[in-house]
Amino acid sequence: MDHEEFANPGGEGELRVRKVTVCGGGNGAQTMVPIATRNLGCPVDVYAPYADEAERLRAGVAAHDGLEVTGAVRATGRPHWVSADPAEVIPGSEVVLLVLPAFAHEGTLRQVLPFLDEGAWVGAMPARGGFDYAAAQVLRVKGRDDVTLFGLQTLPWACRIRDYGQVVDVLGVKKAVDAAARPARQVGQVARLLERMLGLSIGTAASGLALTLANTGQLIHPGIMYAHFAAWDGTPFLTDDVPLFYHGLSQEGARVLAGLSDEVQAIRARLEPALDLSAVRPLKAWLYRSYGDAIADPSTLRSAFVTNRAYAGLKAPVREVSPGQFVPDFRARYLAEDVPFGLAVSRAVAEMAGLETPKVDEVMGWAGAQLGKDYLGRDADEARIPQKYGLHDLEALIAFAAEEGAELNP
Ligand code: NAD
């Protein structure tokens, strides 16, 4: 595929994209479709093989005459084609977006790969930790070095489906998000495309490793779950007592988050002579950059959370155990995704760098106990850590990030 034409380098005119396919049928995917359709002016297909999502999506779109995004972002658009069969939607796509929880990245990439056009771009939104290891290994096994991989540091929106296939509410939107690409020389073009597609500022991260360490979901989600629930005594919450996830952050909770962020900054400092990790921002700096004026009081880390209007009203994840009675949902993504595809990956990098991570270990130990997993020991290989893909020491880790020839497991 001719990306010169596609990304229009150096030109001020329109970016031309022939077709985009969004993989996934959840909150993020349904937000992406109308926004990308409107902003790129090209057909956007959906690959939704999970359960009966393709059917439900088609039915919803037909009933509502398109997908509607409402709230902090507004857009209406129809997916061009929705299918559970990759052969129907992947061919002809210049850009394929995995808008999926991280555990579904590898399997979905394997399903779409046989149908991918030569030179297509495949991106995870968000990438979470270690996407580049898993995806590069899948490409390598199939000999697809023509494919460009990219990842977004986070999803730009807090979004929730109101009516499946019909209406999605966007509760908050970030004003800037970073992206990385592999090969890294493509990152400028990728950022231009994403900027146009999403309608927000896209910064560049120098490598997938920078994105892994810059993943603030790994700090915020397990860190706040720990702060809210590590001392929970088992008494169910009544409806009105379910804690506000962000706005309910305590002083102690903010200290946990600061501790986690400091440990990631120590990894950055240790690796920085060898790699550009400038995208790995301290949590407070990331919050200001992402939310800007939405934060009424930016004076402390805690105030930046509790006065952030993009976080207003968002409750901690709970499940109802009897009418009107709720317990914390420890199976929610905030632990089940953000530990094995987040904290555990950064911790594995710290270990290779010879750094101790006491706060990460404390939160991971607690989170693992809730999930029935020992990510600090026995179950480490279930996380998307570099060692699992054949990167066993700091030298190999840095060489892979710098694209200087470190080989992954076949
Ligand atoms: P979601 O739960 O709405 O969607 C999940 C989708 O993933 C499903 O609809 C399905 O299409 C697919 N899926 C689920 N299980 C699968 C399986 N076993 N195999 C294949 N596909 C499967 O998720 P979302 O809210 O769209 O989030 C997508 C990603 O964005 C996640 O990583 C999430 O942590 C992140 N994120 C979401 C938000 C938000 O507000 N929604 C905000 C920040 C980050």
Side-chain angles (χ1 to χ4, degrees):
M1 183 187 7
D2 183 2
H3 283 302
E4 295 293 307
E5 179 206 356
F6 154 53
N8 213 14
E12 292 305 311
E14 289 278 282
L15 284 161
R16 292 181 295 277
V17 185
R18 284 191 294 277
K19 187 175 94 155
V20 171
T21 294
V22 172
C23 301
N27 303 302
Q30 293 194 33
T31 305
M32 181 67 73
V33 170
I35 292 175
T37 303
R38 178 193 64 193
N39 291 352
L40 294 177
C42 72
V44 177
D45 286 0
V46 177
Y47 172 51
Y50 184 63
D52 57 353
E53 285 187 337
E55 219 172 286
R56 289 169 61 215
L57 196 49
R58 280 193 294 264
V61 168
H64 197 65
D65 199 23
L67 262 169
E68 181 184 351
V69 173
T70 186
V73 183
R74 288 170 180 275
T76 306
R78 257 175 188 279
H80 168 254
W81 199 255
V82 178
S83 180
D85 178 358
E88 288 189 1
V89 284
I90 300 300
S93 308
E94 283 167 300
V95 182
V96 173
L97 305 170
L98 309 177
V99 190
L100 294 165
F103 69 79
H105 287 162
E106 232 174 292
T108 306
L109 183 55
R110 279 205 193 91
Q111 291 156 17
V112 305
L113 200 60
F115 305 97
L116 261 187
D117 281 15
E118 171 88 19
W121 292 5
V122 179
M125 310 178 76
R128 299 296 188 212
F131 170 70
D132 49 333
Y133 309 133
Q137 190 189 53
V138 173
L139 296 186
R140 176 165 187 250
V141 168
K142 298 289 178 196
R144 292 297 305 263
D145 60 3
D146 56 293
V147 173
T148 291
L149 295 170
F150 66 93
L152 208 63
Q153 185 257 342
T154 179
L155 201 68
W157 321 284
C159 51
R160 302 282 182 271
I161 293 170
R162 195 198 301 169
D163 293 310
Y164 197 90
Q166 304 189 30
V167 183
V168 196
D169 293 312
V170 174
L171 312 162
V173 60
K174 298 176 183 83
K175 66 188 183 79
V177 180
D178 287 345
R182 188 173 183 88
R185 64 181 147 73
Q186 298 275 47
V187 74
Q189 288 198 33
V190 166
R192 281 194 63 205
L193 168 78
L194 293 175
E195 222 157 59
R196 167 91 188 281
M197 179 165 73
L198 302 171
L200 44 91
S201 168
I202 302 291
T204 57
S207 63
L209 180 56
L211 220 54
T212 286
L213 296 173
N215 166 21
T216 43
Q218 67 180 333
L219 314 177
I220 296 171
H221 299 148
I224 299 184
M225 287 293 279
Y226 178 75
H228 281 314
F229 299 127
W232 178 59
D233 65 2
T235 312
F237 298 97
L238 301 179
T239 312
D240 290 343
D241 300 334
V242 173
L244 285 167
F245 191 71
Y246 301 98
H247 282 194
L249 183 67
S250 62
Q251 281 301 355
E252 183 45 35
R255 274 194 286 276
V256 171
L257 294 181
L260 295 174
S261 176
D262 287 349
E263 289 177 7
V264 171
Q265 289 305 305
I267 305 173
R268 171 186 170 171
R270 177 66 61 90
L271 300 187
E272 206 139 42
L275 293 170
D276 174 359
L277 296 176
S278 51
V280 188
R281 295 178 176 80
L283 187 51
K284 197 165 161 221
W286 175 84
L287 276 170
Y288 299 155
R289 182 166 185 273
S290 303
Y291 293 105
D293 293 345
I295 298 171
D297 175 4
S299 55
T300 66
L301 182 58
R302 178 170 177 269
S303 71
F305 275 99
V306 304
T307 70
N308 184 345
R309 70 169 182 271
Y311 289 150
L314 292 170
K315 298 258 189 171
V318 288
R319 52 190 181 83
E320 197 165 18
V321 284
S322 58
Q325 305 231 320
F326 299 88
V327 297
D329 184 2
F330 295 124
R331 302 266 146 199
R333 298 266 169 73
Y334 287 171
L335 299 184
E337 178 178 35
D338 289 297
V339 174
F341 299 90
L343 271 186
V345 190
S346 295
R347 184 183 185 276
V349 174
E351 205 172 19
M352 287 185 194
L355 292 166
E356 305 256 305
T357 50
K359 192 51 84 179
V360 169
D361 293 7
E362 184 183 327
V363 172
M364 267 181 68
W366 173 81
Q370 311 316 310
L371 294 165
K373 296 282 178 190
D374 176 14
Y375 291 119
L376 294 168
R378 186 185 70 228
D379 301 317
D381 260 11
E382 290 182 29
R384 206 161 58 178
I385 57 175
Q387 291 93 329
K388 182 173 162 179
Y389 299 95
L391 302 173
H392 291 289
D393 57 37
L394 200 55
E395 200 185 337
L397 188 84
I398 290 172
F400 180 81
E403 298 173 21
E404 283 168 359
E407 292 286 308
L408 298 177
N409 287 335

